[in-house]
Amino acid sequence: MALEMEAVAPAAPDTSGWARTSWPPIFILVPSLLVTVAVMLPVAYVVGRTFGAGADAWDLLVQRSVLDTLLRTVFLSVAVTAATVTLAVPIAWLTVRTDLPFKRFWSVLTVLPLVIPSYVGALVAITALGPKGLVQQMLEGPFGIDRLPGIYGFSGSLLVLSFLSFPYVLLSVRAALWNLDPAMEEAARGLGLGAWATFRRVTLPHLRPAIAAGGLLVALYTLSDFGAVSLLRFNSFTRVIYLQYETSFDRTLAAASSLVLVMVGFALLMIEARARGRSRYHRSAVGSARAPNLVRLNAWRWPALLSVATVVTISLVLPVTVLTYWLVRGWAAGESLSFVWGALFNSAYVSLLAAAATLAAALPVAFLTVRHTGWLSSMLERTTYVGFALPGIVVALAFVYFGARYVTPLYQTLPLLVIVYVILFLPIAAGTIRASLLQLNPHVEEAARGLGRSPAHVFLTVLLPLLRTGLLASAVGVFLVTMKELPATLVLGPLGFKTLATATWSASSSAFFARAAAPALLILLISSLPVAFLTFREQRPAS
């Protein structure tokens, strides 16, 4: 969540002082460089594998099928991004700026779809809206409807990904609304503008950077999605790459397709960097931190409430209800749940390992980019975001190659899987720590250095205690995304290593919906608790 909020943060503090201009200590520089090398390995793999194939690879890349897949993937990303902005911006405004009933309650519920894995959403869509699904069965008796519009392909992928990923935009816009100086809106209202005119002419222009930042995160999420598009049989790049990997001995085509996806991801990262660079807004005065006057919805109060409740019903209540139905049905039919407990332990164990390892990797990188600004730190910071642009399947394929050829003892072991998790989720941890570090005055470290303490001692005894809230948020974020990570676990997981994600996937891909319900519900339950807690902590008292 910190990635979204960072995009609309106030401008960075003054960069003066030894802590920002001196050459970084060795215990910060060396780990940062090692992390950078690890992050760039997947890119080196796809580039080397593609160019190593010579003209054959380029012949593969210019095939009509590759172009069609690229266009389908980009079109899905654009459509999902537009849909999420349409959903998220009104909800953010209603839950921050208006007198919407029970808005603290809705503030939490509208964020929770973020914890639902896309393959779980696809499973729910298939069982509820697919041929002979639950909705069709309910309509057939009283209305004689024996067929619903198809849920597979583009339409189903658009529906599922939009209702699961809109919290990315919601969090970004909500953070921008909290930081927006309310005096501007009050001045506009004082000049006679109504609530809608004030929003359109004053509030919305200041939300554009936040909308762009959140929308680009949605585009990256859609670009890298594997679970939903696979279950819904939409041939995006991630599904095509996985099928090429599974069905071919020569993985040159998979590497060439991955290179196209890497280039698209880098293009999106460049747009994200530009959007973040332009989105630094200063408050006009200290008093702007106060809560704004709430807009009275009056006659629109209940239609607004119904709209928010409808979004929550589709994105959260429906998945939980459908999964609970299948769980009860499987239990009544004698379905054993013994397999769930081993998968639960594995998921929790590997997620904790990934959180700890990613935190250790992100700390030196975040410290370097904030306290030692320059071309080197800027380059390293941009490099860490490569993992956010690369789908898990691409990173996994790269480490299959390196593991099998160069580090055979690590191939298909838990340590290698954790390394891949670190590469994939490093931006989540680094972004949160970076945002927390920017709020700390560097003069605190200067004072400690003035007392004769070494840089390492200052880092361990001064900075880490002050960063504990940001470190906790980083660990929770990495833990959550690791719990639902699928393609990397499928490709690189040790033999016989089952997680809740792979258990849900294997059952749902074989149409054993009752068997998939228990692990899917456990993912939702475990993930929702810390997200709800963090969301409640972020709420500010309204006037």
Side-chain angles (χ1 to χ4, degrees):
M1 287 186 285
L3 286 172
E4 297 91 327
M5 295 178 184
E6 184 188 353
V8 293
D14 176 54
T15 58
S16 61
W18 74 270
R20 290 176 179 268
T21 57
S22 62
W23 187 253
I26 196 72
F27 71 91
I28 294 294
L29 181 60
V30 171
S32 299
L33 292 175
L34 291 176
V35 169
T36 302
V37 171
V39 168
M40 292 304 296
L41 280 178
V43 179
Y45 163 75
V46 294
V47 171
R49 190 70 184 264
T50 303
F51 279 85
D56 293 339
W58 296 111
D59 291 340
L60 293 172
L61 284 175
V62 297
Q63 288 181 358
R64 178 63 183 271
S65 59
V66 174
L67 179 60
D68 290 343
T69 303
L70 175 61
L71 292 177
R72 279 195 303 269
T73 305
V74 172
F75 184 59
L76 178 64
S77 296
V78 172
V80 171
T81 302
T84 55
V85 170
T86 303
L87 288 171
V89 174
I91 293 176
W93 185 73
L94 287 171
T95 54
V96 174
R97 284 288 201 257
T98 73
D99 62 343
L100 181 75
F102 317 112
K103 65 179 186 178
R104 283 175 64 88
F105 175 73
W106 298 119
S107 294
V108 174
L109 292 189
T110 51
V111 173
L112 289 181
L114 198 62
V115 309
I116 302 177
S118 64
Y119 48 88
V120 172
L123 166 65
V124 170
I126 292 169
T127 58
L129 303 175
K132 299 300 179 182
L134 299 177
V135 174
Q136 189 271 322
Q137 292 176 26
M138 289 189 294
L139 296 176
E140 186 172 12
F143 302 105
I145 297 176
D146 58 359
R147 187 173 183 83
L148 292 175
I151 191 64
Y152 292 97
F154 175 81
S155 59
S157 301
L158 173 62
L159 176 70
V160 170
L161 292 174
S162 297
F163 276 97
L164 295 187
S165 59
F166 80 89
Y168 283 111
V169 182
L170 178 67
L171 287 167
S172 181
V173 175
R174 189 180 288 168
L177 283 169
W178 281 123
N179 288 318
L180 186 63
D181 188 350
M184 294 184 296
E185 296 167 303
E186 292 166 4
R189 296 298 298 272
L191 292 173
L193 293 181
W196 166 244
T198 300
F199 175 78
R200 180 173 56 86
R201 297 176 60 179
V202 178
T203 308
L204 189 59
H206 285 81
L207 295 180
R208 283 173 184 165
I211 294 171
L216 286 167
L217 289 174
V218 171
L220 286 170
Y221 176 81
T222 306
L223 185 71
S224 63
D225 179 70
F226 169 75
V229 296
S230 295
L231 288 180
L232 292 167
R233 303 172 193 169
F234 180 76
N235 282 328
S236 72
F237 257 118
T238 48
R239 181 172 189 254
V240 168
I241 291 169
Y242 183 76
L243 293 176
Q244 291 167 348
Y245 167 76
E246 287 284 294
T247 59
S248 175
F249 289 105
D250 184 8
R251 288 165 184 164
T252 301
L253 181 56
S257 300
S258 299
L259 181 60
V260 176
L261 203 56
V262 167
M263 290 189 292
V264 175
F266 270 118
L268 288 174
L269 275 179
M270 291 174 63
I271 298 173
E272 183 187 29
R274 284 179 172 270
R276 187 175 67 176
R278 292 192 300 265
S279 62
R280 303 192 177 219
Y281 285 77
H282 297 271
R283 292 191 174 115
S284 61
V286 176
S288 66
R290 60 183 171 83
N293 294 324
L294 297 181
V295 175
R296 304 297 173 184
L297 293 174
N298 298 325
W300 290 99
R301 198 178 192 207
W302 300 113
L305 180 63
L306 179 62
S307 300
V308 175
T310 300
V311 174
V312 170
T313 299
I314 296 174
S315 61
L316 184 64
V317 177
L318 181 62
V320 173
T321 303
V322 172
L323 291 174
T324 303
Y325 166 81
W326 281 108
L327 178 64
V328 172
R329 183 171 174 176
W331 185 282
E335 180 71 47
S336 173
L337 299 180
S338 59
F339 74 98
V340 174
W341 310 120
L344 173 61
F345 174 81
N346 289 339
S347 292
Y349 178 60
V350 76
S351 297
L352 287 172
L353 289 178
T358 307
L359 212 59
L363 258 173
V365 174
F367 184 85
L368 181 67
T369 56
V370 174
R371 290 295 193 251
H372 300 275
T373 55
W375 67 268
L376 177 61
S377 60
S378 178
M379 181 191 69
L380 293 181
E381 181 194 11
R382 293 287 179 263
T383 302
T384 60
Y385 282 85
V386 170
F388 199 78
L390 294 177
I393 184 66
V394 175
V395 179
L397 285 176
F399 277 87
V400 165
Y401 175 81
F402 286 111
R405 291 207 171 197
Y406 302 110
V407 284
T408 307
L410 288 180
Y411 182 61
Q412 284 199 312
T413 64
L414 211 55
L416 190 62
L417 181 60
V418 170
I419 291 173
V420 171
Y421 288 149
V422 170
I423 293 172
L424 289 173
F425 308 135
L426 181 66
I428 296 175
T432 304
I433 298 171
R434 182 179 182 276
S436 299
L437 196 56
L438 281 170
Q439 297 175 354
L440 297 182
N441 193 324
H443 295 304
V444 175
E445 300 147 62
E446 293 175 16
R449 288 284 287 144
L451 294 174
R453 296 185 180 183
S454 66
H457 197 255
V458 172
F459 183 81
L460 294 173
T461 62
V462 177
L463 276 181
L464 290 188
L466 292 174
L467 290 173
R468 59 181 179 272
T469 301
L471 296 177
L472 176 61
S474 299
V476 168
V478 175
F479 180 88
L480 293 178
V481 292
T482 306
M483 283 287 295
K484 62 181 185 177
E485 169 59 28
L486 179 63
T489 312
L490 283 175
V491 175
L492 275 175
L495 294 176
F497 185 78
K498 286 281 188 180
T499 65
L500 291 175
T502 58
T504 303
W505 168 259
S506 60
S508 57
S509 60
S510 302
F512 295 140
F513 301 133
R515 190 175 179 84
L521 280 173
L522 279 174
I523 293 175
L524 268 60
L525 176 62
I526 295 173
S527 302
S528 63
L529 295 177
V531 169
F533 173 73
L534 292 176
T535 305
F536 265 123
R537 288 190 61 186
E538 289 170 1
Q539 298 303 308
R540 304 184 186 186
S543 60

